[in-house]
Amino acid sequence: SAVISQKPSRDICQRGTSLTIQCQVDSQVTMMFWYRQQPGQSLTLIATANQGSEATYESGFVIDKFPISRPNLTFSTLTVSNMSPEDSSIYLCSVERGAVTEAFFGQGTRLTVV
Amino acid sequence: GENVGLHLPTLSVQEGDNSIINCAYSNSASDYFIWYKQESGKGPQFIIDIRSNMDKRQGQRVTVLLNKTVKHLSLQIAATQPGDSAVYFCADKRDDKIIFGKGTRLHILP
């Protein structure tokens, strides 16, 4: 298994501000993924973050709104920029290790924008 | 785009009975289909997966069935327990990414 720590676990932010979410993994992984889970909904993939290259964003997500850093093989950050109430969600990071499909998730960051 | 969806948003099952959670998919190019369990306040947890060239796979108390003819995936949980209460997501893997379906909440009745 993989131990994934996310910080902060929750936050309440003013609209127009930005929040950076950190994801720390207990061992080196090639690919890290960021997801958004809106209240009562499924997980939507925001982007894939590989070390040493720019993140790859899914349709509907752009770098200016969700800049991602991946400085090494155990750490990544996701920034939610210029926040609005519509950005209120749980943001989760994920890594894969071992079996091809066995992704591990952090506990998530619950963001409320007021 | 193509995605994985679910037939029912909620399912109530008597404790001790078997649970069957269904999922329809549209992307025939997926390599794997996967089931995740998400308990309140936690991230999803891997349960079981099945490769696209298989039609059945069994784990501990769980079985996944894949019917490629009708593009249908199901998760069977034997002897459902209170600890099985959660939201269950089907997902598929394609192009090194895991794409999630909508989720079914499983309620266990005493």
Side-chain angles (χ1 to χ4, degrees):
Chain A
S1 65
V3 176
I4 303 171
S5 300
Q6 275 188 242
K7 293 181 181 179
S9 58
R10 59 176 62 228
D11 207 344
I12 301 173
C13 300
Q14 295 291 323
R15 67 178 66 198
T17 63
S18 298
L19 176 71
T20 295
I21 301 167
Q22 298 179 5
C23 181
Q24 178 75 51
V25 189
D26 65 342
S27 62
Q28 294 182 343
V29 293
T30 302
M31 300 175 77
M32 296 179 74
F33 304 87
W34 286 98
Y35 288 83
R36 180 175 72 183
Q37 186 174 26
Q38 295 177 307
Q41 302 295 317
S42 183
L43 284 75
T44 301
L45 182 63
I46 297 172
T48 303
N50 294 328
Q51 194 267 336
S53 63
E54 285 198 0
T56 303
Y57 289 83
E58 297 299 305
S59 176
F61 298 96
V62 295
I63 189 171
D64 289 345
K65 176 67 176 177
F66 297 102
I68 288 172
S69 78
R70 183 79 201 274
N72 57 53
L73 292 173
T74 63
F75 187 79
S76 178
T77 67
L78 170 75
T79 298
V80 186
S81 303
N82 188 24
M83 290 183 284
S84 67
E86 292 71 33
D87 294 320
S88 297
S89 274
I90 298 172
Y91 293 85
L92 301 108
C93 71
S94 172
V95 304
E96 292 181 11
R97 183 195 298 174
V100 174
T101 58
E102 192 165 356
F104 297 93
F105 288 80
Q107 82 280 9
T109 296
R110 183 179 294 273
L111 170 62
T112 303
V113 184
V114 297
Chain B
E2 296 181 275
N3 55 39
V4 181
L6 291 174
H7 291 302
L8 298 174
T10 61
L11 176 67
S12 296
V13 175
Q14 203 77 36
E15 182 179 348
D17 288 352
N18 297 335
S19 302
I20 300 176
I21 302 171
N22 296 303
C23 178
Y25 67 91
S26 56
N27 189 345
S28 301
S30 298
D31 299 318
Y32 289 88
F33 296 91
I34 315 147
W35 283 100
Y36 285 88
K37 172 185 180 182
Q38 186 176 30
E39 297 175 291
S40 181
K42 297 182 180 180
Q45 180 182 8
F46 172 89
I47 301 173
I48 191 169
D49 64 359
I50 186 167
R51 199 179 179 104
S52 59
N53 62 356
M54 300 171 63
D55 53 21
K56 181 178 180 179
R57 190 173 185 208
Q58 286 186 292
Q60 186 177 11
R61 272 203 315 122
V62 295
T63 301
V64 56
L65 299 177
L66 176 62
N67 186 330
K68 292 180 286 293
T69 302
V70 296
K71 296 184 179 179
H72 184 267
L73 184 72
S74 70
L75 176 70
Q76 300 179 5
I77 304 173
T80 310
Q81 303 170 357
D84 295 327
S85 290
V87 177
Y88 291 81
F89 294 98
C90 60
D92 71 296
K93 182 155 188 180
R94 51 184 119 140
D95 301 328
D96 292 328
K97 299 179 293 188
I98 295 176
I99 305 300
F100 281 75
K102 291 185 179 179
T104 294
R105 182 173 297 279
L106 180 63
H107 290 289
I108 311 304
L109 302 170

